[in-house]
């Protein structure tokens, strides 16, 4: 029973370390004149918009571009997180 508690404690420690490492990783997505940088914790660090899109006549196009770029960035961040978790799980005793 105590060995299981130690394993859970170790897993919690590894999860915290992984979260720290993920915050260091970034993904950059460029889509339709919008550039988004997101970290491994899915926090958007930067959002740059092409000046040609910042006109009232292109409001709907700009909103769509930002939405698509943000969603793509989140998906890429999720893939990074899943890959990191796979590597961490494979390193756990009895999980490989």
């Amino acid at each position: 029973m105590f060995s299981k508690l130690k394993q859970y404690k170790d897993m919690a420690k590894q999860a915290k370390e992984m979260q720290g490492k993920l915050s260091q990783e970034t993904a950059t997505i460029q889509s339709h004149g919008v550039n988004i940088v997101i970290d491994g914790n899915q926090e958007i660090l930067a959002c740059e918009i092409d000046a040609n899109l910042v006109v009232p006549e292109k409001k709907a196009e700009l909103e769509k571009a930002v939405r698509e770029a943000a969603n793509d960035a989140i998906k890429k961040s999720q893939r990074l997180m899943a890959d990191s978790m796979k590597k961490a799980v494979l390193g756990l005793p009895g999980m490989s």
Side-chain angles (χ1 to χ4, degrees):
M1 180 173 162
F2 289 112
S3 66
K4 289 283 186 193
L5 290 173
K6 180 164 177 11
Q7 282 181 330
Y8 290 132
K9 186 176 179 182
D10 290 344
M11 285 174 54
K13 181 181 175 187
Q14 285 181 338
K16 189 167 186 121
E17 288 173 1
M18 186 184 324
Q19 188 176 21
K21 289 178 186 176
L22 285 172
S23 69
Q24 302 291 318
E25 294 187 36
T26 61
T28 301
I29 301 295
Q30 296 175 343
S31 178
H32 307 289
V34 176
N35 183 39
I36 291 184
V37 179
I38 190 169
D39 69 12
N41 290 327
Q42 299 181 352
E43 184 174 326
I44 294 177
L45 303 176
C47 178
E48 299 169 357
I49 300 170
D50 186 301
N52 294 327
L53 292 175
V54 186
V55 292
E57 299 82 31
K58 294 192 176 187
K59 180 181 182 291
E61 184 181 340
L62 174 61
E63 289 170 344
K64 180 182 177 190
V66 170
R67 185 177 57 250
E68 288 177 359
N71 286 332
D72 288 346
I74 289 169
K75 287 175 187 170
K76 188 170 183 179
S77 171
Q78 288 171 339
R79 284 192 301 270
L80 286 171
M81 191 175 359
D83 290 344
S84 293
M85 290 181 74
K86 283 179 192 175
K87 291 175 188 173
V89 168
L90 290 175
L92 292 174
M95 299 300 266
S96 36

